[in-house]
């Protein structure tokens, strides 16, 4: 059974870059697709973006239009992990960040989630 | 952009009740809809995908229905473990979540 674990700094200064990694165990990162979602304190879920791996094309990405100019998701197949980078953060980016798995190529629903990592943006 | 609107925002119910949550899409999304359950301090858990397909291991008291723009999640005979917040997710092309429905104790 695949397991996901987020890791990264819990505190980031305004205008700096947020970087998180999702370590995947119990399965190969090349066997599925992957997603990042966040949840601001007391709020609902916000999709950040997805990364899709193909043996033919490598990886491709799809992002939330509201974050697209600041976000990058990448895969590291050698380490079986994927990453989120969010630039120029503000207090509005304070949230619990989740990584999740997209189990099929026929729909981006999320069947396995990490426990979440709280990132606070503050000076 | 597609918007997903859940109703109600909060639903008060008792153990044994049957409850229904509605999720409406601002335009047709076929059956590209999932439902999740989230408890406080925990990650969401997938309940249903493709509008009505029950995820493995999820109790059969959960059921999903609908298509195009209107979808429902029904919990039959509500159990103590079911008090939580529920989210719908459209995954037609981009992903969009509904704002959530909290099911609490009447």
């Amino acid at each position: 059974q695949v397991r996901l674990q987020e890791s990264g700094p819990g505190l980031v200064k305004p205008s700096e870059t947020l970087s998180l990694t999702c370590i995947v165990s119990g399965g190969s990162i090349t066997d599925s697709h992957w997603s990042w979602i966040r949840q601001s304190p007391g709020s609902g879920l916000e999709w950040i973006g997805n990364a899709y791996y193909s043996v033919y094309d490598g990886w491709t990405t799809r992002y939330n239009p509201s974050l697209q100019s600041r976000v990058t998701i990448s895969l590291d197949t050698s380490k079986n992990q994927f990453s989120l980078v969010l630039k120029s953060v503000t207090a509005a980016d304070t949230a619990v960040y989740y990584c999740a798995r997209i189990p099929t190529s026929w729909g981006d629903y999320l069947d396995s989630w990490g426990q979440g990592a709280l990132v606070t943006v503050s000076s | 952009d597609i918007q997903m609107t859940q109703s109600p925002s909060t639903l008060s119910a008792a153990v044994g009740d049957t409850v229904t949550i509605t999720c409406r899409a601002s335009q047709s999304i076929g059956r590209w809809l999932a439902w999740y359950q989230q408890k406080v301090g925990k990650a969401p858990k997938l309940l249903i995908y493709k509008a009505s397909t029950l995820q493995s291991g999820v109790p059969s008291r959960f059921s999903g229905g609908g298509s195009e723009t209107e979808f429902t999640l029904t919990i039959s005979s509500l159990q103590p473990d079911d008090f939580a917040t529920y989210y719908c997710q459209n995954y037609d092309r981009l992903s969009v979540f509904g704002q959530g429905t909290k099911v609490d104790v009447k």
Side-chain angles (χ1 to χ4, degrees):
Chain A
Q1 181 172 343
V2 68
R3 297 187 66 178
L4 297 87
Q5 177 68 56
E6 303 88 352
S7 66
L11 181 64
V12 181
K13 289 182 168 55
S15 80
E16 296 192 345
T17 296
L18 178 159
S19 296
L20 292 172
T21 296
C22 183
I23 300 167
V24 178
S25 59
S28 172
I29 197 170
T30 59
D31 289 342
S32 300
H33 310 300
W34 307 96
S35 186
W36 286 99
I37 306 94
R38 69 181 184 180
Q39 186 169 36
S40 300
S43 296
L45 301 167
E46 180 180 28
W47 173 67
I48 299 172
N50 295 341
Y52 306 89
Y53 182 79
S54 164
V55 294
Y56 306 107
D57 303 319
W59 53 269
T60 58
T61 54
R62 193 178 290 170
Y63 299 125
N64 186 326
S66 68
L67 298 170
Q68 184 162 2
S69 63
R70 299 193 291 133
V71 68
T72 302
I73 296 173
S74 59
L75 306 180
D76 186 336
T77 55
S78 67
K79 295 182 179 178
N80 217 45
Q81 64 187 38
F82 62 105
S83 299
L84 168 71
V85 170
L86 183 65
K87 299 183 293 186
S88 304
V89 298
T90 69
D93 294 310
T94 294
V96 174
Y97 286 77
Y98 295 100
C99 58
R101 184 180 79 157
I102 302 167
T104 81
S105 295
W106 305 284
D108 295 346
Y109 59 89
L110 307 163
D111 75 335
S112 298
W113 294 63
Q115 66 185 27
L118 174 62
V119 179
T120 301
V121 179
S122 174
S123 57
Chain B
D1 294 356
I2 297 175
Q3 308 295 324
M4 306 301 294
T5 304
Q6 288 182 233
S7 60
S9 296
T10 305
L11 191 161
S12 296
V15 172
D17 286 353
T18 293
V19 301
T20 297
I21 299 167
T22 299
C23 180
R24 289 186 173 87
S26 59
Q27 61 190 74
S28 176
I29 60 169
R31 293 175 58 82
W32 301 116
L33 188 103
W35 289 97
Y36 301 85
Q37 176 194 68
Q38 188 180 33
K39 297 182 179 178
V40 174
K42 300 294 187 182
K45 172 187 173 183
L46 176 67
L47 299 175
I48 285 167
Y49 60 94
K50 214 171 183 182
S52 62
T53 302
L54 197 66
Q55 171 69 352
S56 176
V58 173
S60 59
R61 64 180 180 272
F62 292 92
S63 63
S67 63
E68 308 299 340
T69 61
E70 185 154 333
F71 302 85
T72 57
L73 172 70
T74 298
I75 312 172
S76 303
S77 188
L78 198 69
Q79 297 300 300
D81 192 48
D82 300 337
F83 292 101
T85 299
Y86 294 84
Y87 293 92
C88 62
Q89 176 210 11
N90 160 41
Y91 54 90
D92 182 21
R93 181 181 177 276
L94 304 178
S95 282
V96 180
F97 289 93
Q99 81 277 19
T101 295
K102 183 178 181 180
V103 178
D104 64 15
V105 179
K106 183 187 291 182

